[in-house]
Structures are given as structure tokens and as C-alpha cells.
Amino acid sequence: MRRFSIFIGLLIAMCYVSCESKQHENKEETKYLVSSPIQMDTSITKDYVCQIHSTRHIELRALEKGYLQHIYVDEGQHVKKGQRMFHIMPNVYQADLQKAKAEAEVAEIEYKNTKLLADGDVVSTNELAMSKAEFDRAKAEVSLAETHLGFTDIRAPFDGIMDHLEVREGSLLDEGELLTKLSDNSKMWVYFNVPEAEYLDYITSAKKNEKQQVELLMANNKKFNQPGVVETIEGEFNNETGNIAFRATFANPDGILRHGETGSILMRVPLANAMLIPQKATFEVLDKKFVFVLDENDAVQQREIIVGAELPHLFVVEKGLSLKDKVLLEGIRMVRNGEKIHYEFEKPESILSHLDLYSE
């Protein structure tokens, strides 16, 4: 019985050693895919929070004091240039105009009589000049009264969209009181803030004299259907944020954009001689990124890298790698630091051909 137990134990040990040997053999036979970083010109898309403004956004205010007699438009309505929007009770201003016209007629008659007398050398030329001046003053009073009467009709200064009504019919208005706001949304100005370092890259680039084309990502996370161009840069930096404001202009033929909206500007930034590696070759430890690099003994060594930018499926490496390094692409969770491996090298151009890369 004892011999039988010993025999069973030896058999189990032999099986265990055999299994270990096969596993070790299989592990040694496993080949891992390895490649190198590649250097090329490409570009990245940066996004900036933005504010959307109408090219013309004004306040409409009462030019005269009086009761608001009629409102001819409604909130959110499209109005045409010259369209009547508000009407202030004109009775007082009509009376002023009639009075001014009557006084002008009297002054005209006196001037004509004086001229006849002057032609007959009955009165002096000075008296004729004074009569003419009085007549001119009366005509100016008529023009002024007509202007005040015209202010009782408030019309749209340009095509646009009316905002919220600040008053109602029958309201007693003071001179200068806010009635509503009007926005011209045919084109939109989109403002976004750019950090100083990125501004310097932009302003010193070879394409600084060309208008930079940008896209607008709206609040619903969809792209606006019209491209925009960067047209102006403000004159000074904000000392508190270190940013400077850019302004892009977008056509708005469908009237989708409104004054006061927010979104994000998407701007393509060129990168010259960028070093690229696939994202799948990296792993994170405590918010730091690492790769496995093969040493001269074909052992994998963990190395930290600094990522400067992110592309679809790719990272732009700022520090930590050289173009001669061999980087482990697959099986990074199956190897240990310092472990010697068998590998198969594939050219980086071939690796990139299987990835989605936006390059210039």
C-alpha cells in the first residue's frame, strides 16, 4: 500500500513538471508585436469655449415722452428695415408742428412785405436781413417739430429679430425708456479666448496672413452647418486669465444661431515633426502614462512618457521616447517589467495604415 502511494505521488509530480514545462515552452514561443515611433507633420483639433453674438444687437428706446399707443410687432418676430414697431401718442407733437407752421407762415409774410419795402428804399437792408433771419428761424422750428413728431413712430433700423417686450400698450414712457432689443442674425460673431502660448504659435505661423477656418460645436454637441473664419484678434491680453480674445464670423442663413448662445470653437492646429505612437501601446499608473520599451537584451522596460496632444488612436509624445526605440504594441498586460520576450517588428508606417489618422 505504501509503495502504491509513492508511485501515485511520483506520477503526479511528473505530470506537474510536464505541464509547467509545456506552459513555459508556450510562453517562450509567444511573439509580441513591436514597432517604433514615427515622426511626421500632422494636426490636432483644439476646442475653445465660446460666446455667440449677433453682428448687430441694439436696444430700441423711446425718443420722446408720452403714452405708448400701439405695438405693431410681437416677441421673436422677424422685422424688415423701416417697418413700424411702436407708436407713441402724437397729439402734443402734432399741435407743436401746427403752431410752428403757423408761425413760419407769419414770418414768411413779414419777410415778403419787408422785401417789397426794401426794394422801394423804404426800409434799410439791415431790417430786411433781420426779417429774413426771423423767417429762417421759423422754418427751423417747423423742421424741429416734424422731427419730434417723427419720433413718435419707432421703426426698425435694419432687418432683424425682435427680443422681449419691455413695455405694454398704454404705458407712460419716459424719454430714453427701453422698449425692446433687435438682433441682426444674418451673420454671427463668435468670441473665444486663446492662451498666450497658443496665440504666439498662431501669430508666428507661416499661415498667419491667411484666414484660419474654424468649426462651431453647438450646445447639443452637433456641429453647425456653416464654416467660420477667424477675422480679428483683440488688442490686449486679460491680465487675470492670460488669454486673448479671438473673433470668428459665421454665416447664419437658416437663422439657427441666436444672440447669447454658447458652444465650442474647433480649430485645427498644425504640428510639425510630431512623434506619434498608437494609444494602445500605453498604459496608466497614477495618472501617468507609460510604455514598454525593449532594451538591448530584448527585455521589456517600463518607461514614462509625456503626451503633448491626442489624435484619434494616436498620442503625440513630447518626452520619453526616441525614434530608435522599440515599443511593445500588444500584450502589455501579459508581460512583466524586465521580462525577456520574443517579438516581431513591424514598420510604423504599416501600423499607421490600420489606424484612423488625420494628417497633412
Side-chain angles (χ1 to χ4, degrees), residues 112-125 127-129:
K112 288 180 178 179
N113 289 337
T114 305
K115 189 173 186 306
L116 288 174
L117 294 174
D119 290 342
D121 293 331
V122 177
V123 297
S124 67
T125 55
E127 191 170 348
L128 177 62

Side-chain angles (χ1 to χ4, degrees), residues 250-266:
F250 286 80
N252 189 31
D254 300 324
I256 295 173
L257 301 179
R258 299 287 180 101
H259 180 85
E261 281 188 72
T262 60
S264 296
I265 284 290
L266 305 178

Side-chain angles (χ1 to χ4, degrees), residues 187-205:
K187 289 184 179 180
M188 306 301 288
W189 284 340
V190 180
Y191 294 87
F192 59 101
N193 293 320
V194 176
E196 184 174 357
E198 295 176 18
Y199 158 79
L200 291 172
D201 290 339
Y202 175 86
I203 207 68
T204 57
S205 68

